[in-house]
Amino acid sequence: MQQPKKIAIVGSSHVSWWEHAIKTGQIPKPYHDITFIGLGAMPIWGDFIRTGIAEIEDQVDEIFLLLGDFRHGNRILLDEKFLQTGDTSGKFLNIAKELISDENDKILLGLIIKSLGDLRSRLGSKLRILFWSLTYREFQSLEQGRYGGRGNYRHPVWNLADLVETFSDVAIDTLPLMPLPIHSFFLDASGHPTFKGHAFLSHVLNGQTALEAYGSVCDDFESWGHLLFPPDAGQYRVKITGDSIAFDALAKAVRTGYFSMPPSWEVVDLKTSQATKGDYDRIAYFSGLHFEDEGPEHIKAKIAEEKAAIQKLNLGDQAYVIFWDQWAREIISKRPEYRNKFLPKSAEGYVESIEQAAAPFQVKPLSPLVFDKANGMVEFGGSFTPSGKGFAVLFHLILSDDLITTAFSRYEAMANYCLNQTHSLAEPHDASPDTGLAPLRTGQLQGNFDGVSLSGRLCGWALNPNDLDHKVPVYLFSGKQLIASATANQLWADFQFGDGGDGGFYGFSSGALPLSLLRNLRVGSELRASFDPEGQVELPGSPLKLGQESLSKLALAAIIARKNEFNAPRHQRGDDYRIPADGRSLFIAKKLPPESDPAIFPQTETVLDNAVVENIKRLPPFFKAVMRARVIGGVYHQDGKLEASALSSSAFGVYQLADPTLTTKPTRHIDTECLYGGMLTEHYGHFIIESLARFQAFQRFPTLPIVFTLPNPQISKADGLPAYMRSIFELLGIPLGRIILVQETTSFKKLVVPKIGMRWFDYLSVDHYLEMALQVKQSLGENYPLKQNGSIYLSRSRLSTNHEGNIICGEAEFENYLKAEGVTVVYPETLTVKEQIQLFCGARNAIGFVGSGLHTLLLCPDVPEKVFYLNRRKAEVNPQYPLIDKVLDIDGHYFDGVIKSNARVSLVDFEAISQTLMASGVVKRPFDPKQHDFEKEFALLTEWLHLKRKSKNLTLPDEQRLETIIGQCLSHVAVKEAQALLQDRQKPLEQPLRYAHA
C-alpha cells in the first residue's frame, strides 16, 4: 500500500510530546512531510484543534487523530452559551476535578462522538483515529480488576469497544492489546508515550494493525535494545541505586519491561541496598538532590546531609554519584516554554557547583553536556524523567565519561531501526560488542539457539566462518518432529566477525508456528535447533524448555495472522437494542439474527464420509483474552478440509481454534455412522446452552451414537462425566452408552454434523426449547409439579470463595429478609438437577443474581411468570437471558443495583432491589441496610481474598488481619475458610522454620 505523502497528526499533549521527541532527536521523523497540531489539555472539539484541522485538511493525504483524555475542557459544562445553544467555541483547557461525574462525563462523551462523527463525514477515508488515552486507562482498569475486570469489563461511561465499533471504518482497534504487557508503552499516569510507545505509534502510522505494531516493537527492541548499553556492558558487574527521579523511572522501566538490563547489572532500591564494597565493578548512585529557592548556607547544609547519607551506604571505591535531578531541572528551564522556571536562585545550587562540592565522592558529571545534545535526554513536560536517549547516556556514563559520544551514536542507530528508518541499519562504527557467546564449531559451522523472541519466533544465529557469504540453514524440532526450518540471513544485532561478509546478517527466525503445533506444546516441552535436518548436530542453547511466558509468545504469533478468521463479521452480530431495567439503567443486548442466515445456522445436516475428529485441548488463558479462544481441535472431511460448522462459536465469533487443513493422524477408527454432538463444556450454564445445542438431532436420529469432544483428558467414558451432565442426559432420554468421547484423533466411517438449536448470546430456537422441555416432562412423570403460588430466591452465599463469580456482600442478611417475607431461599449447588427443575416449575416468581443457575429454565416444562435478574457487576446484562425470556414467554425484570465491585467482590443496593420487588408484589416491606455495615464487609472480603492468595507466605500481621476477618466478617463461608487457614498456620510445624528466630 502506498504511504501517504503528507500527514497531519492531531491531538492534545500526546501530540506535543511526539513533536518534541522528533525535534530533540529522541526519535526520527516517521514521514518527511508531516504537520503536528497539538496543544496540551485541549479537547478534540475545542477551537484550536477544530481550526487547525480546517486549515490543513485540503493540504494533507491523511489526518491521524491521537485522542487524549475525553474530560479535557470539562469547564464548558459551566458555560451558559454552551448550556443554552450547544456552542463549543471558546478556550476550554484542562480537567476540573470537581466537575468529574458519570453524568457530566456522558455529556462530554456525546460531544466527542458528535465531533468525531462530523470529522468522519467531512474527511472520509482521509481520517484515522487512535483512542490512545482510553486504551491506556482501560488497560490500567483491567490490570486492577476494576469495573468487572477481565471478561466482564464495563465502565459506566467510557468503553473502548463501543467507540471502536462506532467508528470501525476509521478507528484503529487496540482492543487486542488489552491482555498484553503494554505497560512500557506509557510513561506516566496521563499515558504519554515512552520511546517504545512512539515506536508503536510509528508502526501504526505506517499502516500496521495494533497487534502487528506490538509484535514489531517487541521484535525491534529484542534485536536492538542492547544499544542502550555500552558495547562491553555484560563484562561489568554494575549496581544502580539512589533516590532520584531517574532512579524511580529506571526501576519502573525494568519492572514493566521497557528494556532488559544486562544480566550482570542490578537495580536495587535504596531502602534494601546493602553494603556491597568489592562486590561490583561499578556502583552508580542517582542523587535526588535539587534546589530552587534555597540560600547558599541552606544549600551547603543539604549537600553535607546528602554526602553523609551516601557515606552510610558504604558503597566503596567504585561508587559514582550522578546528580540527575538538579541537572534535569536546569535543562528543562532552558526550554522556551519554561523560561528559567526551575533554576536555583543561588549559584551554589547549580549542578556544576554540586558536582564540585561532592568530593571526596567520585562524580559522573552531566554538567559538561551542551543543551542541544542534552535537551533530548529529558522527557517533555515538567516530570524531569529521562527519555530513552537519557537512559542510554546514563548507562554509558556509568562505565566511562568517554562513552557519551558512543551513547548518542548507538542510540541513534537503535531509534532509526525501531522506528522503521531502514536507511540507517548499520551498527555504530565505534561499537565492537562482545557477544559473550561460546560458539559451537561443528565442521565449519558456528551458532546459537537464542530461544523465543518477544514476538513469538524461534530465533538465534548461525554462520560458516570460512564462507561468510553462505547462509546457513537451521532446522527446528519439537521432540523428534521437524516443525520448521529457517535460513540465517537476517540481521543479528551485536555481531561482528572479522572484516568479511555483510555485517551482522546471520540471524534466523522461524516465523509464526502453526496452530496445530500448539496442540502438543505445553509448559516444559522442549524445542531444539540443529544444523542438520536429522537433528543430530544441535546448536548451543538447544534444547529450549518452554515456560508459560514463552508459550504465550508463540501463541500470540500463531493467532495474529489468523485473528480475523475467528471474529464474527459485524453484519452477523445484529444491531443493538436496549432493554429497560426498571428505570434504573439500560443494558445493551443483541437482536436475534434471522434463522435463515446460512452463514450462522446451516439449515440441513452436513454428512461427512471418512470424517476425522481431533481431540480437543485447552488453550492457555492468554488465547481467551486475545480472541475469546478457549480450545483447539476440529472436525475434518476425508480430504483434510476443515468443517467450519462444527466449530463452537458465539455471537462474537468462533472460540474453538483449528487449522484449515488436518495436520494430525488418526490413532483410532470407528467403523459406523455417528452423530456429532459438539464439545462437552464442564460448566453448568455453558453445558446447557452449548453442549446440548444439537439436541433436536439427538432425537431425530435416535439410533446413532453421539460423538462428543471433551477438553479433559482424565475422562474417557461417559460414566466418568460430572453428575449434573449424567443427570441431564438421563432427563433428556439419552443413555450414557450412546455417548462416545473423543480423547484421541479419531476417524469415522460416516459422521452427521447437525445444525444447532441455540447459540451463546444470539440464538435460541423455540422448537429446540420445546422438544427439550417435553422430554424432561416425560422423564419426570408423576414427579412433575403442579403450579404453586410462591417465590424462590437462588442464593450464591454458600458457594466457596474459590468459585469464579463475584461474592455478594451481605447476601446472607438479604436472604434472612426474604425468608421473613415468605420467599423460599434455595442453594442450587446443594440440589440435584431434577430438584432444581421442580422448584422452577412450581414457582410464580424467581429471583437471583445472574449466573448458571438461571439457565436451568431451559430444561423446565413450566416456568415462573416473572424472573428478576440481578446484576453482580457493573456490566451489560448477558444477552442470553433476554433470549430465554422471549422464547419461554417470561416477564423478565433486569436490575443493576451494583454500587461498586472489583474483580471478585460486589457491593449491591439491597434496599433498592427490595423496592423493585415491592413494586411487583413479591415482598411487602423494604430491606433495611442500616443494620449492617456492608461497606466494611466489602473491605473485609476483599482483604480475605488477598490473604487467601498469599496463604503460603502469610506474615504475623497477616494472621492478625485474619483474626479480624473471623471476628467481623458477615460471610459464614469466608469466616469458615479463614478459620481453617489460620488453624493450619498455627499447627505445630515438623520443620519450625517460621519461628526459628523466636
Side-chain angles (χ1 to χ4, degrees):
M1 183 179 72
Q2 186 175 1
Q3 295 179 341
K5 295 180 180 179
K6 297 180 181 180
I7 289 183
I9 299 177
V10 183
S12 55
S13 61
H14 302 85
V15 173
S16 302
W17 282 58
W18 198 343
E19 184 177 17
H20 171 83
I22 292 173
K23 286 181 177 179
T24 58
Q26 294 181 40
I27 59 175
K29 212 174 185 181
Y31 285 94
H32 177 69
D33 196 341
I34 192 167
T35 302
F36 289 94
I37 303 173
L39 180 63
M42 171 59 71
I44 197 65
W45 42 262
D47 286 349
F48 177 84
I49 290 179
R50 187 170 57 237
T51 303
I53 292 176
E55 291 175 350
I56 200 74
E57 61 184 84
D58 293 333
Q59 305 171 32
V60 297
D61 300 294
E62 180 179 301
I63 292 179
F64 187 83
L65 202 54
L66 190 66
L67 284 183
D69 197 310
F70 288 179
R71 293 172 296 189
H72 283 153
N74 64 349
R75 288 192 186 279
I76 196 173
L77 301 176
L78 302 178
D79 184 71
E80 287 297 328
K81 181 175 60 176
F82 169 73
L83 295 175
Q84 292 177 11
T85 67
D87 185 354
T88 60
S89 61
K91 190 174 182 180
F92 300 98
L93 296 174
N94 301 311
I95 299 173
K97 293 184 178 179
E98 68 274 12
L99 295 179
I100 295 177
S101 70
D102 287 353
E103 292 305 314
N104 286 345
D105 288 352
K106 288 176 183 176
I107 297 173
L108 295 169
L109 176 62
L111 280 177
I112 293 288
I113 291 176
K114 182 180 184 303
S115 297
L116 294 179
D118 292 344
L119 285 173
R120 177 171 60 180
S121 299
R122 194 168 83 232
L123 300 173
S125 60
K126 184 182 287 189
L127 177 67
R128 292 178 73 202
I129 302 172
L130 177 57
F131 296 103
W132 179 258
S133 285
L134 185 56
T135 297
Y136 171 66
R137 296 194 184 283
E138 191 155 312
F139 170 75
Q140 289 288 85
S141 295
L142 288 167
E143 288 287 289
Q144 297 163 9
R146 303 179 67 197
Y147 307 114
R150 296 193 183 279
N152 300 284
Y153 184 85
R154 188 69 189 169
H155 189 278
V157 183
W158 323 106
N159 290 282
L160 182 61
D162 294 348
L163 288 164
V164 169
E165 179 95 14
T166 300
F167 297 97
S168 58
D169 53 333
V170 292
I172 295 155
D173 185 0
T174 54
L175 284 167
L177 300 180
M178 292 300 102
L180 301 176
I182 58 172
H183 314 75
S184 59
F185 287 16
F186 306 97
L187 179 72
D188 51 28
S190 297
H192 292 121
T194 61
F195 176 90
K196 219 169 186 177
H198 283 303
F200 171 83
L201 291 172
S202 291
H203 285 299
V204 169
L205 195 64
N206 281 318
Q208 289 190 344
T209 66
L211 270 178
E212 291 168 343
Y214 172 83
S216 295
V217 171
C218 292
D219 254 351
D220 295 343
F221 264 76
E222 185 167 27
S223 297
W224 286 83
H226 67 283
L227 291 178
L228 284 171
F229 299 90
D232 53 355
Q235 298 180 10
Y236 294 88
R237 295 167 299 168
V238 176
K239 172 181 175 179
I240 304 175
T241 187
D243 61 353
S244 76
I245 289 171
F247 177 79
D248 291 341
L250 174 59
K252 178 184 177 183
V254 172
R255 186 173 63 251
T256 60
Y258 185 171
F259 45 73
S260 297
M261 304 288 283
S264 57
W265 288 44
E266 296 180 17
V267 178
V268 184
D269 187 90
L270 187 61
K271 296 177 182 177
T272 59
S273 181
Q274 303 293 320
T276 52
K277 186 183 294 186
D279 292 345
Y280 295 89
D281 300 306
R282 294 284 191 279
I283 297 175
Y285 179 86
F286 290 177
S287 172
L289 195 66
H290 65 275
F291 301 103
E292 193 166 333
D293 297 325
E294 296 85 351
E297 294 304 318
H298 190 183
I299 291 172
K300 290 179 182 179
K302 293 293 290 184
I303 292 175
E305 288 179 13
E306 182 76 351
K307 290 165 68 174
I310 297 172
Q311 182 68 43
K312 288 181 180 180
L313 294 175
N314 193 26
L315 299 178
D317 296 338
Q318 297 304 315
Y320 294 84
V321 183
I322 299 176
F323 293 100
W324 170 272
D325 284 22
Q326 181 58 47
W327 178 82
R329 296 169 78 87
E330 293 175 23
I331 293 299
I332 287 181
S333 295
K334 294 178 182 179
R335 293 174 181 168
E337 63 268 28
Y338 286 101
R339 301 177 183 177
N340 301 327
K341 179 178 179 180
F342 302 109
L343 292 179
K345 291 184 177 179
S346 301
E348 292 82 356
Y350 279 79
V351 68
E352 185 175 3
S353 298
I354 297 173
E355 290 172 347
Q356 294 172 358
F361 296 106
Q362 301 180 84
V363 171
K364 289 291 185 179
L366 292 168
S367 55
L369 288 168
V370 298
F371 176 73
D372 287 346
K373 282 280 189 181
N375 192 19
M377 292 172 56
V378 188
E379 290 285 8
F380 191 56
S383 68
F384 315 114
T385 305
S387 64
K389 180 184 279 190
F391 279 125
V393 172
L394 287 172
F395 295 147
H396 284 71
L397 184 63
I398 287 172
L399 292 191
S400 173
D401 302 3
D402 299 330
L403 285 176
I404 291 180
T405 301
T406 301
F408 286 124
S409 178
R410 288 169 68 83
Y411 176 83
E412 182 181 357
M414 183 190 78
N416 282 329
Y417 183 81
C418 291
L419 279 86
N420 255 1
Q421 305 298 302
T422 54
H423 59 269
S424 180
L425 295 184
E427 281 271 11
H429 294 299
D430 58 351
S432 53
D434 176 13
T435 67
L437 298 174
L440 171 72
R441 294 184 181 273
T442 303
Q444 295 182 327
L445 303 181
Q446 300 179 27
N448 194 76
F449 184 24
D450 293 344
V452 181
S453 70
L454 289 175
S455 59
R457 272 70 171 172
L458 301 177
C459 63
W461 65 274
L463 57 80
N464 183 338
N466 296 325
D467 185 1
L468 293 177
D469 292 327
H470 170 68
K471 300 308 178 184
V472 175
V474 176
Y475 303 88
L476 300 162
F477 295 82
S478 173
K480 295 182 179 180
Q481 178 189 1
L482 179 65
I483 58 174
S485 61
T487 301
N489 59 4
Q490 301 179 19
L491 180 67
W492 187 70
D494 251 3
F495 181 83
Q496 289 183 352
F497 190 90
D499 298 323
D502 48 7
F505 288 85
Y506 302 103
F508 65 83
S509 175
S510 65
L513 297 179
L515 285 171
S516 56
L517 178 63
L518 299 175
R519 291 171 48 81
N520 301 311
L521 291 182
R522 58 184 57 84
V523 174
S525 295
E526 288 189 346
L527 300 179
R528 299 185 296 116
S530 175
F531 285 117
D532 64 303
E534 290 75 34
Q536 300 299 313
V537 185
E538 295 188 35
L539 281 69
S542 176
L544 165 73
K545 184 171 287 188
L546 285 177
Q548 184 59 65
E549 183 179 356
S550 295
L551 189 58
S552 293
K553 292 174 187 175
L554 292 172
L556 174 63
I559 64 177
I560 283 178
R562 299 185 56 199
K563 183 176 183 294
N564 291 333
E565 297 178 32
F566 299 99
N567 284 339
R570 286 186 173 84
H571 78 272
Q572 291 185 12
R573 299 183 190 174
D575 299 323
D576 290 343
Y577 75 100
R578 295 181 178 270
I579 302 172
D582 303 315
R584 289 277 300 187
S585 61
L586 294 173
F587 298 105
I588 308 298
K590 302 290 179 184
K591 283 183 180 177
L592 291 175
E595 293 185 34
S596 59
D597 186 346
I600 308 179
F601 311 114
Q603 294 304 296
T604 60
E605 283 73 29
T606 302
V607 180
L608 309 181
D609 293 318
N610 299 313
V612 176
V613 179
E614 288 183 318
N615 56 315
I616 294 292
K617 292 191 175 183
R618 292 189 188 281
L619 292 167
F622 176 86
F623 278 87
K624 182 178 178 183
V626 173
M627 55 185 301
R628 299 182 180 272
R630 300 204 298 257
V631 296
I632 184 169
V635 176
Y636 295 86
H637 295 253
Q638 63 181 357
D639 62 358
K641 182 181 178 182
L642 178 69
E643 175 51 50
S645 68
L647 294 174
S648 298
S649 64
S650 74
F652 298 103
V654 175
Y655 56 78
Q656 178 181 347
L657 301 189
D659 275 305
T661 56
L662 180 65
T663 57
T664 58
K665 294 182 179 180
T667 56
R668 179 189 181 194
H669 178 72
I670 296 180
D671 193 28
T672 187
E673 183 176 0
C674 296
L675 186 67
Y676 183 67
M679 181 177 67
L680 293 180
T681 306
E682 291 183 89
H683 180 286
Y684 184 80
H686 285 269
F687 171 76
I688 292 175
I689 292 176
E690 299 172 78
S691 302
L692 302 179
R694 296 178 171 89
F695 172 75
Q696 288 175 278
F698 301 167
Q699 288 197 318
R700 196 159 56 253
F701 302 93
T703 62
L704 295 185
I706 306 173
V707 175
F708 286 105
T709 55
L710 176 67
N712 183 348
Q714 304 302 317
I715 304 175
S716 58
K717 295 184 178 180
D719 56 9
L721 293 171
Y724 70 84
M725 288 191 188
R726 301 197 307 270
S727 177
I728 291 174
F729 279 135
E730 180 184 355
L731 287 168
L732 294 176
I734 301 171
L736 297 182
R738 190 182 168 193
I739 295 173
I740 298 174
L741 299 183
V742 173
Q743 290 293 15
E744 57 184 313
T745 301
T746 305
S747 59
F748 293 84
K749 178 180 179 181
K750 183 173 289 188
L751 188 69
V752 179
V753 181
K755 66 176 184 177
I756 58 174
M758 58 180 165
R759 190 171 79 161
W760 198 256
F761 287 165
D762 67 351
Y763 180 60
L764 176 57
S765 161
V766 175
D767 292 337
H768 174 83
Y769 160 69
L770 291 177
E771 289 189 31
M772 283 205 305
L774 179 61
Q775 180 60 54
V776 170
K777 186 173 183 179
Q778 292 175 356
S779 297
L780 289 174
E782 296 179 356
N783 294 319
Y784 181 68
L786 298 175
K787 190 73 175 179
Q788 302 291 327
N789 291 330
S791 302
I792 61 172
Y793 172 76
L794 278 66
S795 171
R796 303 172 62 87
S797 67
R798 294 185 182 178
L799 290 172
S800 164
T801 59
N802 290 324
H803 73 84
E804 294 181 1
N806 276 41
I807 305 167
I808 310 299
C809 293
E811 186 177 15
E813 283 61 41
F814 185 60
E815 291 170 16
N816 293 334
Y817 152 76
L818 291 175
K819 289 175 183 176
E821 291 295 306
V823 177
T824 301
V825 176
V826 298
Y827 306 92
E829 71 276 8
T830 67
L831 304 174
T832 66
V833 177
K834 184 182 294 185
E835 289 169 337
Q836 294 179 56
I837 291 172
Q838 290 171 328
L839 279 168
F840 272 116
C841 291
R844 171 168 289 180
N845 304 303
I847 311 158
F849 286 94
V850 292
S852 288
L854 290 166
H855 289 122
T856 306
L857 290 165
L858 288 166
L859 302 173
C860 295
D862 202 358
V863 293
E865 295 174 8
K866 295 182 180 179
V867 176
F868 296 86
Y869 301 92
L870 312 178
N871 253 19
R872 289 184 282 130
R873 286 181 284 255
K874 277 281 185 186
E876 299 172 354
V877 72
N878 182 334
Q880 200 67 47
Y881 298 117
L883 290 180
I884 293 173
D885 294 343
K886 179 181 178 67
V887 173
L888 277 62
D889 195 22
I890 291 174
D891 183 7
H893 295 252
Y894 296 84
F895 190 84
D896 183 1
V898 179
I899 298 172
K900 64 179 180 179
S901 65
N902 54 36
R904 290 294 315 282
V905 184
S906 293
L907 177 64
V908 301
D909 190 344
F910 283 125
E911 183 179 16
I913 293 172
S914 68
Q915 295 285 357
T916 297
L917 297 177
M918 284 178 62
S920 297
V922 179
V923 297
K924 296 181 180 179
R925 63 181 179 87
F927 176 78
D928 183 7
K930 297 176 183 176
Q931 300 178 19
H932 308 285
D933 188 348
F934 291 143
E935 285 277 359
K936 182 178 180 181
E937 178 75 354
F938 182 88
L940 288 170
L941 286 171
T942 302
E943 177 74 3
W944 158 238
L945 293 173
H946 170 70
L947 294 174
K948 188 176 182 179
R949 284 194 297 272
K950 59 180 295 192
S951 58
K952 294 182 180 180
N953 301 298
L954 292 178
T955 63
L956 187 59
D958 290 337
E959 292 185 3
Q960 293 170 347
R961 289 201 292 273
L962 276 179
E963 292 173 351
T964 300
I965 291 170
I966 292 169
Q968 299 179 14
C969 188
L970 299 174
S971 169
H972 299 299
V973 171
V975 168
K976 187 175 180 180
E977 291 177 354
Q979 286 174 332
L981 177 58
L982 190 60
Q983 289 171 3
D984 184 62
R985 293 285 301 173
Q986 294 178 345
K987 287 179 182 178
L989 300 177
E990 295 180 7
Q991 300 180 25
L993 298 177
R994 186 171 178 276
Y995 299 104
H997 66 279

